Amino acid sequence: MERKEVKTILMYYSEIPGMAKLLKREKYELELEYSSIQGISSDGSQHGNGPGAPTEQIAIRMIDNGISDRLKEIAVQLQVLDRDAALIRGCVDGMNSKYKRVLLLRSVNGYSWGRIYAQTGIPESTARDWHNKAEERLGKELEYVPMVDELYYRASRAR
């Protein structure tokens, strides 16, 4: 796998927590808005609403607005993000610790070369060399990941 593709996948990896957080927030808000259908609020306490016109109206609105479909989509998207993160993390975790550290600091955390030096004491030229080697090794590891093309496609579309 080329380094350009590896960089795209690393960028995606660093964005996965934020993407998951947004999806979870959307799910929470949708569930909160439509929770009275089930007679239970999102915190687990029972509503005073019984069956009748208000509940029926909410159910019809939920179906008309495609809310249940969206909740299913969110669940699938969260599973995909979790799986992608685990696959990438597995490849990164298999690397030499010095390469892994520089790779994570630079590509995932966005540290500058100067900040990496301040944090680790690794000279900038050495850190750059290790980072390049880490990207190359990660690219080789990613080639063994099942459906890596789909992973790269999701990573390139995530921006």
Side-chain angles (χ1 to χ4, degrees):
M1 177 169 277
E2 294 181 25
R3 284 184 57 205
K4 176 182 150 191
E5 295 168 323
V6 171
K7 288 179 182 186
T8 300
I9 289 174
L10 284 169
M11 176 78 69
Y12 172 59
Y13 179 64
S14 70
E15 294 170 353
I16 286 175
M19 293 164 54
K21 184 178 180 179
L22 289 174
L23 287 169
K24 288 175 184 177
R25 171 176 271 162
E26 181 183 356
K27 178 183 177 212
Y28 172 78
E29 290 171 359
L30 290 171
E31 288 174 341
L32 185 63
E33 182 176 349
Y34 294 99
S35 62
S36 63
I37 287 176
Q38 299 170 350
I40 299 175
S41 69
S42 61
D43 65 356
S45 62
Q46 296 212 354
H47 279 287
N49 295 348
T55 303
E56 291 170 9
Q57 289 172 358
I58 292 172
I60 291 168
R61 206 172 70 214
M62 188 172 176
I63 292 167
D64 288 346
N65 292 337
I67 301 304
S68 60
D69 290 340
R70 180 61 188 143
L71 288 172
K72 290 175 187 173
E73 288 173 12
I74 290 171
V76 169
Q77 289 173 329
L78 287 170
Q79 288 175 345
V80 169
L81 289 175
D82 286 344
R83 188 183 71 235
D84 288 352
L87 288 172
I88 297 166
R89 186 175 36 256
C91 290
V92 170
D93 285 346
M95 298 174 65
N96 181 313
S97 62
K98 66 182 181 181
Y99 296 142
K100 174 183 169 181
R101 185 172 185 197
V102 172
L103 181 74
L104 292 175
L105 289 174
R106 178 69 178 179
S107 297
V108 176
N109 297 334
Y111 283 18
S112 67
W113 296 114
R115 189 167 177 194
I116 291 172
Y117 171 72
Q119 178 103 12
T120 64
I122 300 168
E124 184 176 323
S125 60
T126 304
R128 286 178 189 264
D129 184 49
W130 289 0
H131 185 265
N132 291 339
K133 287 179 182 178
E135 285 181 342
E136 290 171 10
R137 290 182 183 188
L138 181 59
K140 289 177 184 175
E141 288 296 318
L142 285 168
E143 289 177 2
Y144 295 106
V145 169
M147 299 184 294
V148 71
D149 294 336
E150 291 180 24
L151 173 65
Y152 175 70
Y153 177 76
R154 284 190 296 277
S156 62
R157 304 277 296 164
R159 296 178 169 199

